[in-house]
Amino acid sequence: MKIATWNVNSVRARLPRVVDWIESRQPDVLCLQEIKCLDEQFPREVFEDLGYRVATFGQKTYNGVAILSKQNIEDVFRGLPGETQDAHKRVIGAQIGDTLLLNLYVVNGERVGSDKYAFKMQWMQRVADFVRERYDMKEKVVLCGDFNVTFDDRDVYDPEAWREKILCSTEERKALAKIQEAGLTDAFRHFNQEGGHYTWWDFRTRGFERGQGLRIDHFLMSQAALAATKGIEIDKRARGGEKPSDHAPVVADLE
DNA sequence: ATGGTGGGTTCCCCA
């Protein structure tokens, strides 16, 4: 079973690219982040015609997450416990087969020390609490999405330039480790120890053209899920070409 | 120290 995660930076703007990618890669599950539309604006039929079930948690203009799956999507939940109607739409979870899937779009945080950064820290703590309470790590648990945090300097093209900057600060990395504490492993790193593998490149600095990226899109897996995983691949090719997202898709290949 | 580009909305926000 191929599970993919992709921050598409607007599903409507990216629709031709997403459809092309699905047709060539045929993932069984595709978790989308930053769909940037309401549920009723989501191009559901396009994906249904490609053979997918669709579960969305949309928001106008910002954020929004969705799960596409060839198999039944069961026990869908949207958001974190206790959230009000106006909360950011950043979380959708479900069971697909025997896999417990959680698709996340972590808060960006703007700048270390900003209000948005404080909100990011708070939000990540809530995710950590939720994950610990909700999941039995003896199950096949797969968290994926745009985590907006690098694990270490291997995930950063210029570690000195990014030292203690947003996406790379020690505090953010500790918050990410807290989410993992329940028993979740960085699946990409399990298979590949080298640095220089990135999932996001800034539009503004022409980062992709310069080879300047960060690895911020991740799969966090329980031991049972990791044991079933044959490999993880970043599809860097999808970051090139016409009207790309600023993120590349990441694909986990499970038994 | 700042800005760059791209997506979506509305005279600007977010990444």
Side-chain angles (χ1 to χ4, degrees), chain A residues 30-43:
Chain A
L30 177 55
C31 292
L32 301 173
Q33 302 89 36
E34 277 206 274
I35 62 173
K36 289 188 169 177
C37 65
L38 295 164
D39 293 333
E40 57 266 33
Q41 299 171 315
F42 190 87

Side-chain angles (χ1 to χ4, degrees), chain A residues 110-163:
Chain A
E110 190 195 13
R111 202 167 16 85
V112 174
S114 67
D115 289 350
K116 286 174 191 163
Y117 182 79
F119 175 63
K120 179 180 197 172
M121 288 306 125
Q122 226 176 62
W123 193 87
M124 290 182 78
Q125 180 62 56
R126 285 204 288 140
V127 169
D129 293 340
F130 171 68
V131 166
R132 186 176 354 92
E133 284 159 24
R134 171 150 188 126
Y135 294 110
D136 174 359
M137 291 299 167
K138 292 188 194 71
E139 301 287 320
K140 284 186 190 168
V141 180
V142 174
L143 272 60
C144 68
D146 177 0
F147 284 76
N148 267 320
V149 182
T150 54
F151 284 97
D152 60 44
D153 287 352
R154 288 174 292 177
D155 300 336
V156 184
Y157 71 90
D158 184 348
E160 290 318 316
W162 284 81
R163 186 75 58 213

Side-chain angles (χ1 to χ4, degrees), chain A residues 70-117:
Chain A
K70 290 197 168 175
Q71 278 178 263
N72 247 327
I73 306 175
E74 297 171 316
D75 297 331
V76 178
F77 60 92
R78 294 168 173 85
L80 295 170
E83 281 182 345
T84 50
Q85 288 282 340
D86 60 341
H88 294 184
K89 311 302 191 258
R90 295 177 175 276
V91 178
I92 187 167
Q95 178 160 356
I96 297 173
D98 61 356
T99 301
L100 303 173
L101 186 66
L102 184 65
N103 175 17
L104 298 172
Y105 174 45
V106 173
V107 176
N108 172 282
E110 190 195 13
R111 202 167 16 85
V112 174
S114 67
D115 289 350
K116 286 174 191 163
Y117 182 79

